[in-house]
Amino acid sequence: MRFTIAIDGPAAAGKGTISKAVAAHYGFAHLDTGLLYRAVGRKTLDGTQAVAAAEALTPEDLEASDLRTPQVAQAASKVAAIPEVRAALTDFQRAFARRSGGAVLDGRDIGTVICPSAEAKLFVTASAEVRAERRFKELMAGGHDTGFETVLKDVKERDARDMNRADAPLKPAEDAVLIDTSSLGIDEAIAAAIAAIDARRTA
Ligand code: DC
């Protein structure tokens, strides 16, 4: 059985949490495609050239412990605007999407570019303030010393770069179901996602 669920949306909208829960619910494999860009971005912070880093990426690179820092997130967003970097990561994502047993991929361009014929597509979003508040709490809980205004600025900067790049900009696919998590709890957001996907599975 092949069934691809594409989950796109801006930073900290809840894609990761929803994707993991959806994958567990259906027994599908899950790929957080942001990690690919984060692993490439992290290498550029060490001085490696972005395209070379993307072409030489290994599964071990995705295990690095510091991929979730704000510095790596900004570096990821920058390398993600380079078409050759995106091209180097495409085949791996498409192969993952079509594996047997079903797959959930979350990112920015899964429903539009990587898997335009995915069986189910969601676009998960929330206001920039709500997303920054969530990210701020996560960072504080993880022991990072930062301020809400800094996190909000970071989120807005990343949104602008991800939405305005020429290659594979962040935008909902025409046939994506929109889920705004601004005023939804985690369980409500997951339930909304599963209801939308079930509608496509029985369609
Ligand atoms: O989802 P994330 O915050 O881990 O993603 C980090 C950056 O990677 C994001 O700002 C843009 C880029 N990205 C992308 O361009 N395409 C994807 N499919 C996933 C992430």
Side-chain angles (χ1 to χ4, degrees):
M1 189 273 302
R2 292 180 209 282
F3 193 96
T4 307
I5 301 174
I7 304 188
D8 291 304
K15 294 187 307 287
T17 308
I18 292 176
S19 300
K20 280 193 205 95
V22 161
H25 178 82
Y26 295 108
F28 289 5
H30 170 227
L31 178 65
D32 169 1
T33 65
L35 272 189
L36 304 174
Y37 294 92
R38 285 174 183 262
V40 174
R42 179 181 173 279
K43 294 210 162 198
T44 64
L45 297 177
D46 296 339
T48 308
Q49 201 259 340
V51 179
E55 286 171 350
L57 206 66
T58 66
E60 292 73 52
D61 294 330
L62 306 182
E63 309 283 321
S65 60
D66 57 352
L67 295 181
R68 297 277 167 209
T69 66
Q71 291 77 8
V72 171
Q74 287 293 352
S77 171
K78 286 180 191 157
V79 300
I82 305 171
E84 293 83 358
V85 166
R86 307 197 70 81
L89 303 176
T90 300
D91 287 351
F92 174 73
Q93 296 176 80
R94 287 194 176 142
F96 190 97
R98 296 321 283 167
R99 66 201 278 148
S100 73
V104 180
L105 285 83
D106 73 280
R108 303 289 188 289
D109 63 337
I110 307 304
T112 51
V113 174
I114 300 295
C115 305
S117 49
E119 283 77 9
K121 297 181 188 177
L122 305 180
F123 192 86
V124 179
T125 187
S127 72
E129 285 70 20
V130 166
R131 290 185 287 121
E133 183 68 39
R134 289 180 189 154
R135 189 48 53 90
F136 173 64
K137 284 185 183 152
E138 265 171 38
L139 288 168
M140 294 299 276
H144 295 276
D145 189 19
T146 185
F148 173 74
E149 288 305 326
T150 310
V151 178
L152 180 61
K153 184 169 155 279
D154 257 36
V155 161
K156 287 185 172 169
E157 227 175 84
R158 209 138 69 85
D159 281 358
R161 200 182 296 112
D162 295 346
M163 290 190 294
N164 295 320
R165 67 182 175 222
D167 190 21
L170 168 66
K171 62 171 183 199
E174 275 177 20
D175 50 350
V177 175
L178 257 74
I179 299 181
D180 186 327
T181 66
S182 301
S183 55
L184 295 183
I186 292 173
D187 291 345
E188 289 170 310
I190 293 169
I194 289 173
I197 297 162
D198 277 347
R200 301 307 296 263
R201 276 165 69 85
T202 51

